[in-house]
Amino acid sequence: MQRLARKELLAAFCFLAPSLAGFLLFYMIPYGASILYSFQDGLGGAGWTGSNYKALLHSASFRKAAANSLRFTAISVPVLVVLSLALALLLNQRVLFRNWLRTAYVLPLVVPVASIVLVWQILFDWNGAMNVMMNAFGWGRIDWMKSDWAGYVVVLIYVWKNIGYNVVLFLAGLQNIPAQYYEIADLEGAGVGRKFFGITLMYLTPTMFLVVLMSILNSFKVFRETFLVAGEYPHDKIYMLQHYMNNMFLSLDIQKLSAAAAMMSVCIVALVLVLFRTEKTFRSFME
């Protein structure tokens, strides 16, 4: 048995070796190098210092980008999770055009980002469809991407782009809940709220954890959409960490770029750890 286990372990390692090599080459080694650069005065090991992090914390641009990124995550992730769960609950029932609606919500996942942004540009441009409709009702035009409305537009784009994936995950979780649990709850006179919190939400906890985790990670990857819609220097409300790091890269300030990436990764890890702890506490409470 031990010899068989060693053979299976060796076979598994052989299959995993290409992926592990790619992960090390394109992710871990560059990440480790960026950590080293963040503590250097210049490329080539020209001294070690922590001044790059101090400069970031005293930089108004970095603080604005970090605050906007955290605000965007705090707003967009709850909205996305609640809407996707509501749609999944709806599509899990017998509703008209259910299969067509499922396909419609998944379509944004397979459409290229550039095409998506082109549609949103047509909608929210100064001469776009939204302003044309507002003019038709006698309202004035709004420069959506150059005003405080820009943040809400980016949240809308993010939700529209990612809601289909979350709906698929929630539908898979809902369909794994045995129907007998609901039948027993009906026999005992449980209401809709009791069944939702006592059965649905309880057994959706692992799926909910995955959806929230993926939503948080995706919220830090909205640079492409924002860049294509609003350009290199967008409105202050949508100036994200990725914009700051992109500008540092264009100016070849690799040390500050690496320090910003390191601080961003620490923030993401902290959010994930808090999420793990919250999920564990919630599951213990529900049990």
Side-chain angles (χ1 to χ4, degrees):
M1 293 297 294
Q2 292 180 354
R3 183 181 299 177
L4 180 61
R6 285 196 297 268
K7 288 183 178 180
E8 291 182 350
L9 182 62
L10 179 61
F13 179 77
C14 291
F15 282 110
L16 291 173
S19 297
L20 291 175
F23 180 74
L24 290 174
L25 182 61
F26 295 107
Y27 289 94
M28 292 305 298
I29 294 177
Y31 180 74
S34 68
I35 296 296
L36 294 178
Y37 291 151
S38 68
F39 288 100
Q40 292 180 353
D41 284 332
L43 296 179
W48 299 89
T49 181
S51 60
N52 296 317
Y53 292 94
K54 294 180 181 178
L56 283 181
L57 295 176
H58 288 88
S59 171
S61 298
F62 176 79
R63 293 200 303 268
K64 177 175 65 177
N68 287 339
S69 297
L70 293 177
R71 187 184 303 111
F72 175 79
T73 299
I75 295 174
S76 61
V77 171
V79 171
L80 175 62
V81 172
V82 171
L83 287 179
S84 56
L85 178 57
L87 286 173
L89 291 171
L90 176 64
L91 295 178
N92 197 44
Q93 307 297 322
R94 294 183 179 275
V95 295
L96 191 64
F97 302 119
R98 181 175 64 174
N99 293 332
W100 184 87
L101 289 172
R102 289 179 177 178
T103 304
Y105 285 117
V106 176
L107 279 179
L109 298 175
V110 298
V111 178
V113 174
S115 302
I116 293 173
V117 171
L118 180 61
V119 174
W120 291 102
Q121 283 179 334
I122 295 173
L123 286 174
F124 292 102
D125 189 71
W126 177 256
N127 296 313
M130 290 295 297
N131 281 331
V132 171
M133 292 175 59
M134 292 176 67
N135 273 338
F137 287 99
W139 300 331
R141 294 174 182 263
I142 297 178
D143 195 353
W144 297 96
M145 302 311 299
K146 298 297 181 181
S147 64
D148 291 342
W149 288 97
Y152 299 104
V153 173
V154 175
V155 170
L156 184 60
I157 295 174
Y158 165 79
V159 171
W160 182 82
K161 179 70 170 64
N162 295 279
I163 195 170
Y165 181 67
N166 289 358
V167 167
V168 170
L169 293 178
F170 275 130
L171 281 173
L174 288 170
Q175 291 172 3
N176 285 330
I177 301 176
Q180 293 85 349
Y181 294 165
Y182 295 102
E183 295 174 359
I184 295 173
D186 290 333
L187 292 175
E188 294 182 355
V192 176
R194 179 59 180 169
K195 287 190 290 185
F196 176 75
F197 289 101
I199 299 176
T200 304
L201 202 59
M202 174 62 187
Y203 287 94
L204 274 183
T205 300
T207 305
M208 180 75 71
F209 169 74
L210 176 61
V211 168
V212 174
L213 178 60
M214 296 301 298
S215 300
I216 291 175
L217 295 178
N218 288 330
S219 70
F220 285 92
K221 298 189 297 183
V222 294
F223 172 71
R224 293 177 300 173
E225 293 86 345
T226 308
F227 182 83
L228 292 172
V229 170
E232 188 173 327
Y233 292 95
H235 189 267
D236 285 350
K237 290 293 185 180
I238 54 174
Y239 184 77
M240 306 291 185
L241 279 172
Q242 294 88 345
H243 290 93
Y244 179 84
M245 290 188 283
N246 183 65
N247 295 335
M248 291 298 101
F249 177 77
L250 293 176
S251 62
L252 297 181
D253 196 343
I254 305 300
Q255 290 73 36
K256 287 185 180 179
L257 167 63
S258 301
M263 293 183 68
M264 181 177 174
S265 63
V266 169
C267 180
I268 293 175
V269 170
L271 288 174
V272 170
L273 292 177
V274 170
L275 189 60
F276 269 106
R277 182 62 181 175
T278 304
E279 188 264 346
K280 183 178 180 180
T281 303
F282 179 78
R283 182 177 292 183
S284 300
F285 172 77
M286 295 300 293
E287 291 176 354

